[in-house]
Amino acid sequence: MGGDARNGKLLHRKIRQGMITEDELMSKIREQSLEDLTQVKDVYMEGNGTISVIKRE
């Protein structure tokens, strides 16, 4: 179920499915001290509903 953001580009499938809002996703990204999606390698929605953000190196 992963892959909400990849290589700096927001993938809207999870948002369209109503599983997460864009604001919620961006909030999780900011919690990792990232300013925008260009700093994100990947984002996963875990089975328990939490969101994991993987930073670009």
Side-chain angles (χ1 to χ4, degrees):
M1 294 200 111
D4 297 302
R6 180 164 287 135
N7 297 323
K9 295 180 182 177
L10 187 61
L11 301 179
H12 294 280
R13 189 177 79 201
K14 297 282 188 219
I15 292 170
R16 279 195 310 267
Q17 292 173 346
M19 299 177 90
I20 184 172
T21 67
E22 188 170 345
D23 287 341
E24 289 171 323
L25 177 57
M26 294 308 296
S27 175
K28 292 296 182 182
I29 289 169
R30 286 189 300 274
E31 284 177 10
Q32 298 295 316
S33 300
L34 302 175
E35 294 181 21
D36 61 51
L37 291 174
T38 62
Q39 298 173 300
V40 175
K41 178 179 180 182
D42 218 340
V43 177
Y44 294 95
M45 181 174 283
E46 307 293 349
N48 65 1
T50 61
I51 298 169
S52 297
V53 177
I54 311 299
K55 300 175 189 179
R56 281 189 180 273
E57 302 265 340

